[in-house]
Amino acid sequence: MTFIVEFSEIARKTNQKIEDVARDTAADIFEQVIRRTPYGKPELWKGNPPTGYVPGQLIANWQTTINNPSASILPTKDKDGGITIQNMKTVMEKWDGTGVVYFRNNLPYAARIEYGAHSTQAPQGMVRLAMTSVNNAIKKAIQKVA
């Protein structure tokens, strides 16, 4: 069953707007990913940081866009994810439930962090862990709009 079919069924059963449930579910999962993204601590590393490494840049590069995926790498940093979460929520508030919402990180080492190759802080990843809570995020979104 696809997400859209599941959301349609939920909306039918609960008489809620599918867009609200989809928006709140996605925002919840995106926020979990951002919060799980490690703020680099070179003192935990086996080697030296790569040239040009900026702590907090991985967190700040979670980008949320509608209909067109971002291809950019942001030069900013975010220590606790607060700025990145606010940026994501601003985009999600504009989403009307149509089109595609993209959530991506274009830093070349993001995938290596996700799959544990370079992180003792997030050995089980960020995205994979957040995705295990999709059902809870859906239930929470339904309760919010009920």
Side-chain angles (χ1 to χ4, degrees):
M1 191 179 271
T2 66
F3 280 129
I4 195 67
V5 171
E6 289 177 25
F7 283 128
S8 295
E9 182 66 14
I10 290 165
R12 184 186 64 73
K13 287 181 179 177
T14 62
N15 295 319
Q16 301 303 319
K17 290 177 68 177
I18 188 172
E19 295 85 3
D20 293 340
V21 174
R23 183 183 309 104
D24 290 347
T25 300
D28 185 334
I29 297 300
F30 297 167
E31 183 171 343
Q32 288 183 50
V33 171
I34 294 164
R35 291 196 185 283
R36 286 186 165 107
T37 301
Y39 181 83
K41 294 184 179 177
E43 64 272 13
L44 298 176
W45 300 357
K46 293 178 183 174
N48 293 326
T51 303
Y53 171 75
V54 178
Q57 192 174 24
L58 182 63
I59 298 169
N61 269 274
W62 285 112
Q63 299 175 62
T64 310
T65 56
I66 300 171
N67 292 330
N68 294 306
S70 172
S72 65
I73 293 177
L74 304 174
T76 58
K77 58 184 179 178
D78 187 354
K79 185 168 184 152
D80 63 5
I83 296 166
T84 306
I85 290 168
Q86 188 54 53
N87 291 341
M88 175 271 296
K89 287 182 177 182
T90 298
V91 171
M92 293 305 293
E93 287 170 4
K94 296 175 187 173
W95 185 49
D96 65 2
T98 61
V100 178
V101 174
Y102 291 92
F103 181 72
R104 50 189 296 182
N105 194 314
N106 296 312
L107 285 173
Y109 57 88
R112 293 190 302 261
I113 299 295
E114 173 65 28
Y115 291 101
H118 294 294
S119 179
T120 58
Q121 292 175 267
Q124 296 175 338
M126 306 151 292
V127 177
R128 291 173 297 151
L129 280 177
M131 291 306 294
T132 65
S133 64
V134 167
N135 287 338
N136 288 338
I138 292 170
K139 289 176 187 174
K140 190 164 93 176
I142 290 170
Q143 290 172 348
K144 183 177 177 184
V145 298

